[in-house]
Amino acid sequence: MSAIIIEGLAKRFGTLAALAGFDLTVPRGAIFGFLGPNGAGKTTTLRIMAGLAHATAGRVVIEGVEVGRGQRPPIGYLPDTPSFYGWMTAREFLRYIADLHGLERPPIDAMLERVGLADAARKRIGGFSRGMKQRLGLAQALLPQPRVLLLDEPVSALDPAGRKAMLDIMSELRGELTVFFSTHILGDAERICDEVGILDRGRLVLQARRDDLLARYARPIFEIDAAPSDTPRLSALAGQLRALPWVDRVNLEGARLRLTVNDVDAARREVLPMLAGLSVSRFEMLGATLEDIFLGLTNSAGVPTGTEVAL
Amino acid sequence: MRIFGVQLRKELRELWRTRKLIVVLAVLVGFGLMSPILAKITPDLLEQFSEGQMEGIVITIPEPTERDAIDQFLKNISQFGLLLALLMSFGVIVGERERGQLALVFPHPLPREVFVLAKFAALAILFVVGMLLSALGAYLYTVLLFDAPSLGGFLALTWLMIVWLLCLVALSLLASALGRSMVAAGGIAFVLIIAVLLASLFTPLAPGQLLDWGRALAVGADAPARWDALIVTLGLSALAVSANCLILRRQEIG
């Protein structure tokens, strides 16, 4: 069963096509990462899903309710830079949201506890830091117990500690509801998503389960780190490996050996026994990262590598 | 209706917490109290001012009456009330849109027309209460310093001024939905209000005619009843609020 169905979604701003008409389906209960470089159309898509903007063509159906057709879909929405009424306290704001939804006994304290704002419940939001506002934004989106949570760049502007806290909370939601979040920080998406979609210049260039994607694009590379004193023996091993038919390439840098193979199964079977007698500190098959896949699909060049890349 | 109540409570609380309520009440009540006093002391001030400066010239200033107090009240409210109506209204919707607050609350079950109606209702309550307190102050001081004017006439003047002010509030609020920025909204509100004020020069149906009618009722002067202007003013206010709802419903937020 799909929580979100997007069909032929297009949006034009004058002559500019922000969304070129794409289809997307998000299964119920998934944590879905909506990836794309700046200007790809992620925020426009989320604004249409939240009912804040109108599509030029196509439609969005969330939990069986078509957006913009009168009935309100069961969503919670967090914009990229949530802006509150600074004169309210955190508790007052959540009370206001609960009253709009007609909740008689809203779990305000539990929600503030969940997002780590219990101590700030009676403080004016005007004095909150960016991270606190983001967490309160998540609380207001979760309070009415939506079935689909839409988050626009929920962690992009946070410091590492704030980002970790936010991602932990999002991870805890797995299985409770469907989470659809946009990001350009690929490491974060890789960490918590079940499924990803990559948007580029208004077009969906890929949608897949994260694990399938990483497996499909896995690179047949093994890395072996040994003790520095073993470097001569590692060099001899490199010579032996070069002679094997399933080995394409061998690089030796100090005490690190990098092996590119054409038969992963053969490599898995034969490399380990060859390491007997060496003081190996690491033996790892390198997987593809979302970053590699993303850069390949969106043709982004000149981007520094790392666990997270701001595009 | 439940959501309207929630939103109205929020708007009223905002007026209180941001001290806008205090400012508006202070200004309106202040001018209400000051108007009869100013009417009373103006001849003395003029006399003191002219002493020794205009030798040989005799200026005869008639003894002020309750009519002067009413005129002073009308003049002050029509000037400063107008300014307050403009300043309190033109930024409320565009401000929330610019700051991003609407993008946070509109995905919740808050119909946009309810949002507009609650904004208008909160401002209407503010100005009605402010004007009634202002009129009470003005009336009491007028009674203390002069002869008592007709209570019925004074009340009629007060309510006609309220209707006129609320029309300006509705137009400024419309400008707030129309403008893409605070500056643009302020400009549109200014143009709309100037247009309404100028209309009084050309047609007896204009909202400004309510003030002349109210003055006549308060001072007991002969003047034609301007029911037509009252209907036009109420209609214009309703039209402005309805247009506001329609515009905001179609507007993209964010």
Side-chain angles (χ1 to χ4, degrees):
Chain A
M1 181 68 186
S2 301
I4 301 170
I5 300 167
I6 294 175
E7 291 174 347
L9 192 66
K11 177 70 178 175
R12 296 191 73 86
F13 295 106
T15 55
L16 176 77
L19 299 176
F22 69 87
D23 299 336
L24 177 71
T25 304
V26 178
R28 185 173 285 166
I31 296 185
F32 188 92
F34 196 44
L35 313 176
N38 289 337
K42 303 187 298 293
T43 295
T44 302
T45 305
L46 274 154
R47 283 175 54 227
I48 292 171
M49 293 170 83
L52 295 171
H54 314 298
T56 308
R59 65 185 199 133
V60 177
V61 179
I62 300 178
E63 288 290 345
V65 180
E66 187 171 346
V67 176
R69 288 280 179 270
Q71 204 187 338
R72 182 186 168 275
I75 59 160
Y77 172 66
L78 172 64
D80 55 349
T81 47
S83 180
F84 298 86
Y85 300 108
W87 54 270
M88 279 188 183
T89 66
R91 183 191 295 276
E92 283 172 343
F93 186 76
L94 293 187
R95 179 78 244 181
Y96 163 59
I97 295 300
D99 288 345
L100 285 178
H101 285 267
L103 303 177
E104 288 192 0
R105 287 184 184 175
I108 291 174
D109 290 331
M111 193 55 70
L112 286 168
E113 186 76 46
R114 182 172 200 174
V115 299
L117 289 176
D119 293 340
R122 294 180 194 282
K123 288 183 182 162
R124 279 169 43 118
I125 305 170
F128 277 20
S129 68
R130 176 74 200 264
M132 290 167 83
K133 284 182 182 169
Q134 207 76 9
R135 280 183 280 158
L136 182 60
L138 186 60
Q140 62 82 33
L142 284 171
L143 187 67
Q145 297 182 307
R147 283 151 70 187
V148 174
L149 187 63
L150 307 173
L151 309 172
D152 190 5
E153 301 275 3
V155 293
S156 300
L158 301 181
D159 60 23
R163 209 169 73 229
K164 182 182 180 308
M166 193 77 168
L167 288 171
D168 286 347
I169 297 168
M170 287 163 65
S171 286
E172 288 167 12
L173 298 172
R174 192 184 308 278
E176 270 183 54
L177 69 167
T178 308
V179 179
F180 184 99
F181 82 101
S182 70
T183 185
H184 60 258
I185 299 179
L186 306 174
D188 293 342
E190 191 170 334
R191 191 178 138 195
I192 67 164
C193 287
D194 304 316
E195 192 158 334
V196 295
I198 297 179
L199 195 70
D200 187 32
R201 281 161 280 192
R203 294 176 195 282
L204 191 75
V205 291
L206 181 137
Q207 183 190 350
R209 289 189 57 77
R210 184 201 58 177
D211 292 344
D212 294 347
L213 197 62
L214 294 175
R216 194 194 311 166
Y217 288 87
R219 294 175 301 175
I221 297 173
F222 291 82
E223 266 189 7
I224 301 151
D225 286 348
S229 57
D230 274 343
T231 306
R233 294 177 66 193
L234 210 56
S235 179
L237 177 64
Q240 287 176 37
L241 287 166
R242 280 191 187 101
L244 295 173
W246 45 266
V247 175
D248 280 344
R249 203 167 145 198
V250 179
N251 285 329
L252 182 64
E253 285 178 24
R256 172 172 293 175
L257 188 80
R258 195 169 228 242
L259 194 62
T260 308
V261 302
N262 54 45
D263 184 342
V264 172
D265 290 337
R268 277 183 177 146
R269 209 170 41 243
E270 297 185 30
V271 173
L272 268 175
M274 295 171 83
L275 301 178
L278 285 170
S279 299
V280 175
S281 58
R282 187 172 71 97
F283 173 68
E284 186 181 357
M285 181 183 175
L286 299 183
T289 62
L290 269 183
E291 183 189 321
D292 301 323
I293 299 165
F294 180 88
L295 294 178
L297 289 168
T298 60
N299 298 318
S300 304
V303 180
T305 57
T307 53
E308 66 173 67
V309 180
L311 294 164
Chain B
M1 200 59 200
R2 179 187 61 77
I3 295 177
F4 176 78
V6 171
Q7 192 60 20
L8 180 60
R9 238 185 359 255
K10 176 254 164 191
E11 296 298 341
L12 290 173
R13 211 156 36 149
E14 181 165 6
L15 288 174
W16 171 250
R17 293 275 188 86
T18 55
R19 298 188 172 84
K20 288 176 183 168
L21 188 138
I22 300 293
V23 171
V24 171
L25 291 187
V27 171
L28 290 177
V29 172
F31 279 108
L33 294 171
M34 274 164 49
S35 297
I37 299 171
L38 276 173
K40 185 74 177 173
I41 64 172
T42 298
D44 296 336
L45 288 175
L46 284 174
E47 199 173 314
Q48 280 182 10
F49 180 72
S50 60
E51 250 175 34
Q53 290 188 16
M54 291 180 279
E55 279 179 32
I57 302 172
V58 178
I59 300 174
T60 308
I61 302 169
E63 189 66 22
T65 64
E66 69 276 12
R67 277 188 170 217
D68 297 299
I70 289 168
D71 283 341
Q72 192 72 43
F73 178 55
L74 181 60
K75 191 181 78 181
N76 285 337
I77 295 299
S78 62
Q79 289 172 357
F80 293 97
L82 180 149
L83 204 61
L84 273 181
L86 178 73
L87 292 177
M88 289 297 296
S89 315
F90 85 86
V92 291
I93 295 175
V94 70
E96 288 197 24
R97 195 174 54 219
E98 272 193 332
R99 287 188 293 272
Q101 289 155 339
L102 295 189
L104 197 66
V105 295
F106 277 167
H108 292 286
L110 174 60
R112 298 186 186 190
E113 47 273 30
V114 171
F115 175 83
V116 171
L117 289 173
K119 287 268 180 217
F120 181 71
L123 288 168
I125 290 170
L126 175 65
F127 276 94
V128 168
V129 171
M131 277 301 298
L132 290 178
L133 290 175
S134 177
L136 181 68
Y139 189 82
L140 290 177
Y141 262 91
T142 304
V143 171
L144 276 173
L145 300 172
F146 308 99
D147 290 336
S150 146
L151 181 60
F154 198 83
L155 271 175
L157 167 67
T158 304
W159 279 107
L160 288 171
M161 282 198 294
I162 288 171
V163 172
W164 176 76
L165 273 178
L166 292 188
C167 180
L168 301 184
V169 168
L171 290 170
S172 293
L173 211 54
L174 174 63
S176 191
L178 283 169
R180 291 195 175 274
S181 66
M182 289 285 261
V183 175
I188 295 168
F190 183 74
V191 168
L192 286 175
I193 286 178
I194 291 292
V196 166
L197 295 180
L198 287 177
S200 296
L201 301 175
F202 304 106
T203 169
L205 300 176
Q209 297 293 332
L210 296 183
L211 302 182
D212 294 339
W213 183 27
R215 180 190 176 278
L217 291 170
V219 302
D222 279 339
R226 292 260 63 109
W227 293 106
D228 45 6
L230 179 61
I231 291 166
V232 166
T233 307
L234 291 172
L236 188 61
S237 305
L239 197 68
V241 174
S242 305
N244 202 331
C245 295
L246 206 66
I247 288 163
L248 201 63
R249 197 191 303 169
R250 292 182 177 183
Q251 216 161 54
E252 299 205 345
I253 307 295

